mmCIF file of all heavy atoms in Angstrom:
data_model
loop_
_atom_site.group_PDB
_atom_site.id
_atom_site.type_symbol
_atom_site.label_atom_id
_atom_site.label_comp_id
_atom_site.label_asym_id
_atom_site.label_seq_id
_atom_site.Cartn_x
_atom_site.Cartn_y
_atom_site.Cartn_z
ATOM 1 N N LEU L 5 93.779 29.081 83.549
ATOM 2 C CA LEU L 5 94.753 28.147 82.998
ATOM 3 C C LEU L 5 94.192 27.418 81.784
ATOM 4 O O LEU L 5 94.902 27.203 80.799
ATOM 5 C CB LEU L 5 95.191 27.134 84.061
ATOM 6 C CG LEU L 5 96.244 27.654 85.056
ATOM 7 C CD1 LEU L 5 95.577 28.394 86.210
ATOM 8 C CD2 LEU L 5 97.103 26.523 85.589
ATOM 9 N N ARG L 6 92.896 27.034 81.834
ATOM 10 C CA ARG L 6 92.292 26.346 80.681
ATOM 11 C C ARG L 6 92.265 27.259 79.462
ATOM 12 O O ARG L 6 92.594 26.837 78.355
ATOM 13 C CB ARG L 6 90.883 25.876 81.030
ATOM 14 C CG ARG L 6 90.823 24.707 81.997
ATOM 15 C CD ARG L 6 89.444 24.056 81.959
ATOM 16 N NE ARG L 6 88.396 25.024 82.284
ATOM 17 C CZ ARG L 6 87.942 25.264 83.516
ATOM 18 N NH1 ARG L 6 88.469 24.612 84.553
ATOM 19 N NH2 ARG L 6 86.973 26.126 83.738
ATOM 20 N N ASN L 7 91.856 28.506 79.669
ATOM 21 C CA ASN L 7 91.775 29.439 78.541
ATOM 22 C C ASN L 7 93.151 29.699 77.934
ATOM 23 O O ASN L 7 93.314 29.739 76.712
ATOM 24 C CB ASN L 7 91.147 30.763 78.993
ATOM 25 C CG ASN L 7 89.677 30.619 79.331
ATOM 26 O OD1 ASN L 7 89.058 29.610 78.992
ATOM 27 N ND2 ASN L 7 89.121 31.613 79.991
ATOM 28 N N ASN L 8 94.141 29.872 78.785
ATOM 29 C CA ASN L 8 95.489 30.123 78.282
ATOM 30 C C ASN L 8 96.051 28.894 77.586
ATOM 31 O O ASN L 8 96.764 29.004 76.580
ATOM 32 C CB ASN L 8 96.404 30.546 79.431
ATOM 33 C CG ASN L 8 97.710 31.118 78.948
ATOM 34 O OD1 ASN L 8 97.749 32.138 78.282
ATOM 35 N ND2 ASN L 8 98.813 30.439 79.265
ATOM 36 N N ASN L 9 95.706 27.721 78.095
ATOM 37 C CA ASN L 9 96.165 26.494 77.452
ATOM 38 C C ASN L 9 95.520 26.335 76.075
ATOM 39 O O ASN L 9 96.154 25.857 75.132
ATOM 40 C CB ASN L 9 95.826 25.286 78.335
ATOM 41 C CG ASN L 9 96.710 24.094 78.033
ATOM 42 O OD1 ASN L 9 97.898 24.239 77.772
ATOM 43 N ND2 ASN L 9 96.122 22.913 78.044
ATOM 44 N N ALA L 10 94.251 26.739 75.961
ATOM 45 C CA ALA L 10 93.579 26.706 74.655
ATOM 46 C C ALA L 10 94.260 27.672 73.684
ATOM 47 O O ALA L 10 94.392 27.381 72.488
ATOM 48 C CB ALA L 10 92.105 27.055 74.812
ATOM 49 N N THR L 11 94.681 28.828 74.188
ATOM 50 C CA THR L 11 95.411 29.778 73.352
ATOM 51 C C THR L 11 96.720 29.177 72.854
ATOM 52 O O THR L 11 97.098 29.342 71.691
ATOM 53 C CB THR L 11 95.698 31.068 74.142
ATOM 54 O OG1 THR L 11 94.459 31.675 74.519
ATOM 55 C CG2 THR L 11 96.512 32.044 73.314
ATOM 56 N N ILE L 12 97.410 28.457 73.729
ATOM 57 C CA ILE L 12 98.672 27.811 73.339
ATOM 58 C C ILE L 12 98.424 26.789 72.231
ATOM 59 O O ILE L 12 99.155 26.743 71.234
ATOM 60 C CB ILE L 12 99.328 27.145 74.565
ATOM 61 C CG1 ILE L 12 99.811 28.218 75.543
ATOM 62 C CG2 ILE L 12 100.472 26.240 74.142
ATOM 63 C CD1 ILE L 12 100.329 27.666 76.854
ATOM 64 N N ARG L 13 97.378 25.981 72.380
ATOM 65 C CA ARG L 13 97.058 24.983 71.344
ATOM 66 C C ARG L 13 96.726 25.666 70.021
ATOM 67 O O ARG L 13 97.171 25.235 68.954
ATOM 68 C CB ARG L 13 95.907 24.095 71.791
ATOM 69 C CG ARG L 13 96.252 23.140 72.922
ATOM 70 C CD ARG L 13 95.206 22.038 73.025
ATOM 71 N NE ARG L 13 93.861 22.583 73.218
ATOM 72 C CZ ARG L 13 93.331 22.858 74.406
ATOM 73 N NH1 ARG L 13 94.047 22.651 75.512
ATOM 74 N NH2 ARG L 13 92.115 23.331 74.508
ATOM 75 N N ARG L 14 95.922 26.739 70.093
ATOM 76 C CA ARG L 14 95.531 27.445 68.869
ATOM 77 C C ARG L 14 96.751 28.027 68.169
ATOM 78 O O ARG L 14 96.881 27.930 66.942
ATOM 79 C CB ARG L 14 94.536 28.554 69.215
ATOM 80 C CG ARG L 14 94.131 29.414 68.027
ATOM 81 C CD ARG L 14 93.192 30.515 68.456
ATOM 82 N NE ARG L 14 93.802 31.386 69.451
ATOM 83 C CZ ARG L 14 94.648 32.355 69.165
ATOM 84 N NH1 ARG L 14 95.030 32.560 67.908
ATOM 85 N NH2 ARG L 14 95.138 33.130 70.115
ATOM 86 N N LEU L 15 97.653 28.621 68.922
ATOM 87 C CA LEU L 15 98.843 29.205 68.320
ATOM 88 C C LEU L 15 99.730 28.136 67.684
ATOM 89 O O LEU L 15 100.260 28.323 66.585
ATOM 90 C CB LEU L 15 99.630 29.983 69.377
ATOM 91 C CG LEU L 15 98.999 31.295 69.861
ATOM 92 C CD1 LEU L 15 99.763 31.851 71.057
ATOM 93 C CD2 LEU L 15 98.951 32.322 68.740
ATOM 94 N N LYS L 16 99.881 27.007 68.362
ATOM 95 C CA LYS L 16 100.692 25.922 67.804
ATOM 96 C C LYS L 16 100.087 25.405 66.500
ATOM 97 O O LYS L 16 100.812 25.142 65.523
ATOM 98 C CB LYS L 16 100.814 24.777 68.813
ATOM 99 C CG LYS L 16 101.736 25.089 69.989
ATOM 100 C CD LYS L 16 101.830 23.900 70.924
ATOM 101 C CE LYS L 16 102.809 24.167 72.072
ATOM 102 N NZ LYS L 16 102.893 23.015 72.995
ATOM 103 N N GLU L 17 98.771 25.269 66.476
ATOM 104 C CA GLU L 17 98.111 24.777 65.262
ATOM 105 C C GLU L 17 98.271 25.769 64.114
ATOM 106 O O GLU L 17 98.524 25.384 62.965
ATOM 107 C CB GLU L 17 96.628 24.534 65.543
ATOM 108 C CG GLU L 17 96.365 23.352 66.453
ATOM 109 C CD GLU L 17 94.923 23.256 66.889
ATOM 110 O OE1 GLU L 17 94.127 24.152 66.493
ATOM 111 O OE2 GLU L 17 94.577 22.313 67.615
ATOM 112 N N ARG L 18 98.156 27.047 64.426
ATOM 113 C CA ARG L 18 98.274 28.046 63.364
ATOM 114 C C ARG L 18 99.701 28.145 62.849
ATOM 115 O O ARG L 18 99.932 28.292 61.654
ATOM 116 C CB ARG L 18 97.813 29.409 63.879
ATOM 117 C CG ARG L 18 97.634 30.409 62.756
ATOM 118 C CD ARG L 18 96.963 31.666 63.190
ATOM 119 N NE ARG L 18 96.935 32.600 62.088
ATOM 120 C CZ ARG L 18 96.930 33.907 62.219
ATOM 121 N NH1 ARG L 18 96.942 34.452 63.440
ATOM 122 N NH2 ARG L 18 96.903 34.707 61.173
ATOM 123 N N ILE L 19 100.669 28.043 63.756
ATOM 124 C CA ILE L 19 102.069 28.060 63.331
ATOM 125 C C ILE L 19 102.361 26.868 62.418
ATOM 126 O O ILE L 19 103.018 27.013 61.381
ATOM 127 C CB ILE L 19 102.995 28.052 64.561
ATOM 128 C CG1 ILE L 19 102.912 29.398 65.291
ATOM 129 C CG2 ILE L 19 104.436 27.766 64.158
ATOM 130 C CD1 ILE L 19 103.616 29.407 66.632
ATOM 131 N N ALA L 20 101.847 25.702 62.799
ATOM 132 C CA ALA L 20 102.062 24.511 61.973
ATOM 133 C C ALA L 20 101.414 24.683 60.604
ATOM 134 O O ALA L 20 101.992 24.285 59.573
ATOM 135 C CB ALA L 20 101.495 23.280 62.684
ATOM 136 N N GLU L 21 100.223 25.281 60.579
ATOM 137 C CA GLU L 21 99.536 25.501 59.304
ATOM 138 C C GLU L 21 100.330 26.447 58.410
ATOM 139 O O GLU L 21 100.493 26.204 57.211
ATOM 140 C CB GLU L 21 98.145 26.074 59.573
ATOM 141 C CG GLU L 21 97.358 26.395 58.311
ATOM 142 C CD GLU L 21 96.052 27.097 58.609
ATOM 143 O OE1 GLU L 21 95.690 27.208 59.793
ATOM 144 O OE2 GLU L 21 95.398 27.544 57.649
ATOM 145 N N LEU L 22 100.827 27.546 58.981
ATOM 146 C CA LEU L 22 101.571 28.515 58.182
ATOM 147 C C LEU L 22 102.900 27.929 57.689
ATOM 148 O O LEU L 22 103.330 28.191 56.563
ATOM 149 C CB LEU L 22 101.825 29.778 58.998
ATOM 150 C CG LEU L 22 100.592 30.634 59.297
ATOM 151 C CD1 LEU L 22 100.961 31.827 60.166
ATOM 152 C CD2 LEU L 22 99.929 31.101 58.011
ATOM 153 N N ARG L 23 103.552 27.122 58.533
ATOM 154 C CA ARG L 23 104.794 26.500 58.096
ATOM 155 C C ARG L 23 104.542 25.514 56.962
ATOM 156 O O ARG L 23 105.322 25.435 56.007
ATOM 157 C CB ARG L 23 105.454 25.800 59.278
ATOM 158 C CG ARG L 23 106.165 26.771 60.229
ATOM 159 C CD ARG L 23 106.745 26.057 61.410
ATOM 160 N NE ARG L 23 107.580 26.951 62.213
ATOM 161 C CZ ARG L 23 107.973 26.698 63.440
ATOM 162 N NH1 ARG L 23 107.624 25.555 64.021
ATOM 163 N NH2 ARG L 23 108.730 27.555 64.096
ATOM 164 N N ALA L 24 103.444 24.760 57.069
ATOM 165 C CA ALA L 24 103.118 23.815 56.001
ATOM 166 C C ALA L 24 102.816 24.568 54.704
ATOM 167 O O ALA L 24 103.213 24.126 53.617
ATOM 168 C CB ALA L 24 101.916 22.967 56.413
ATOM 169 N N ARG L 25 102.160 25.708 54.825
ATOM 170 C CA ARG L 25 101.853 26.506 53.647
ATOM 171 C C ARG L 25 103.135 27.069 53.029
ATOM 172 O O ARG L 25 103.269 27.147 51.806
ATOM 173 C CB ARG L 25 100.899 27.635 54.028
ATOM 174 C CG ARG L 25 100.250 28.329 52.847
ATOM 175 C CD ARG L 25 99.274 29.374 53.329
ATOM 176 N NE ARG L 25 98.242 28.767 54.157
ATOM 177 C CZ ARG L 25 97.397 29.473 54.897
ATOM 178 N NH1 ARG L 25 97.500 30.794 54.933
ATOM 179 N NH2 ARG L 25 96.471 28.870 55.606
ATOM 180 N N ARG L 26 104.086 27.475 53.884
ATOM 181 C CA ARG L 26 105.356 27.981 53.385
ATOM 182 C C ARG L 26 106.117 26.889 52.639
ATOM 183 O O ARG L 26 106.701 27.125 51.577
ATOM 184 C CB ARG L 26 106.192 28.507 54.549
ATOM 185 C CG ARG L 26 107.488 29.188 54.127
ATOM 186 C CD ARG L 26 108.244 29.683 55.325
ATOM 187 N NE ARG L 26 108.718 28.574 56.158
ATOM 188 C CZ ARG L 26 109.301 28.721 57.334
ATOM 189 N NH1 ARG L 26 109.466 29.938 57.829
ATOM 190 N NH2 ARG L 26 109.706 27.666 58.014
ATOM 191 N N GLU L 27 106.102 25.665 53.178
ATOM 192 C CA GLU L 27 106.759 24.553 52.504
ATOM 193 C C GLU L 27 106.082 24.246 51.174
ATOM 194 O O GLU L 27 106.741 23.914 50.187
ATOM 195 C CB GLU L 27 106.750 23.326 53.412
ATOM 196 C CG GLU L 27 107.609 23.489 54.663
ATOM 197 C CD GLU L 27 107.448 22.331 55.621
ATOM 198 O OE1 GLU L 27 106.651 21.407 55.297
ATOM 199 O OE2 GLU L 27 108.093 22.324 56.685
ATOM 200 N N GLN L 28 104.742 24.383 51.172
ATOM 201 C CA GLN L 28 104.007 24.160 49.939
ATOM 202 C C GLN L 28 104.386 25.196 48.889
ATOM 203 O O GLN L 28 104.552 24.876 47.705
ATOM 204 C CB GLN L 28 102.495 24.230 50.219
ATOM 205 C CG GLN L 28 101.622 24.011 48.997
ATOM 206 C CD GLN L 28 100.150 24.165 49.330
ATOM 207 O OE1 GLN L 28 99.784 24.361 50.482
ATOM 208 N NE2 GLN L 28 99.303 24.084 48.319
ATOM 209 N N ALA L 29 104.535 26.444 49.328
ATOM 210 C CA ALA L 29 104.928 27.507 48.398
ATOM 211 C C ALA L 29 106.332 27.266 47.856
ATOM 212 O O ALA L 29 106.607 27.489 46.678
ATOM 213 C CB ALA L 29 104.852 28.865 49.098
ATOM 214 N N ALA L 30 107.241 26.798 48.731
ATOM 215 C CA ALA L 30 108.602 26.523 48.284
ATOM 216 C C ALA L 30 108.628 25.368 47.289
ATOM 217 O O ALA L 30 109.378 25.395 46.304
ATOM 218 C CB ALA L 30 109.483 26.196 49.488
ATOM 219 N N ALA L 31 107.791 24.355 47.516
ATOM 220 C CA ALA L 31 107.736 23.216 46.602
ATOM 221 C C ALA L 31 107.151 23.622 45.260
ATOM 222 O O ALA L 31 107.587 23.157 44.203
ATOM 223 C CB ALA L 31 106.914 22.089 47.224
ATOM 224 N N ALA L 32 106.145 24.532 45.306
ATOM 225 C CA ALA L 32 105.523 24.977 44.063
ATOM 226 C C ALA L 32 106.458 25.862 43.258
ATOM 227 O O ALA L 32 106.337 25.971 42.042
ATOM 228 C CB ALA L 32 104.231 25.737 44.365
ATOM 229 N N ASP L 33 107.414 26.527 43.954
ATOM 230 C CA ASP L 33 108.409 27.385 43.301
ATOM 231 C C ASP L 33 107.753 28.444 42.435
ATOM 232 O O ASP L 33 108.173 28.726 41.315
ATOM 233 C CB ASP L 33 109.361 26.539 42.464
ATOM 234 C CG ASP L 33 110.611 27.319 42.068
ATOM 235 O OD1 ASP L 33 110.941 28.289 42.768
ATOM 236 O OD2 ASP L 33 111.223 26.952 41.045
ATOM 237 N N GLY L 34 106.677 29.035 42.990
ATOM 238 C CA GLY L 34 106.026 30.155 42.301
ATOM 239 C C GLY L 34 105.006 29.746 41.267
ATOM 240 O O GLY L 34 104.337 30.599 40.690
#
């Protein structure tokens, strides 16, 4: 359960990072 919970945290952090990067790309407009 601890290992799987760590995986959940890691995935959430990476998703948040990629979404923030996507927003940054949209703001930069190329």
Side-chain angles (χ1 to χ4, degrees):
L5 280 85
R6 288 197 302 270
N7 291 346
N8 193 63
N9 202 38
T11 298
I12 292 173
R13 290 197 303 272
R14 176 182 60 80
L15 289 171
K16 287 181 177 179
E17 290 171 358
R18 192 170 175 209
I19 290 171
E21 178 186 352
L22 290 177
R23 283 177 172 164
R25 194 177 301 168
R26 186 180 66 187
E27 293 173 0
Q28 180 183 356
D33 195 23

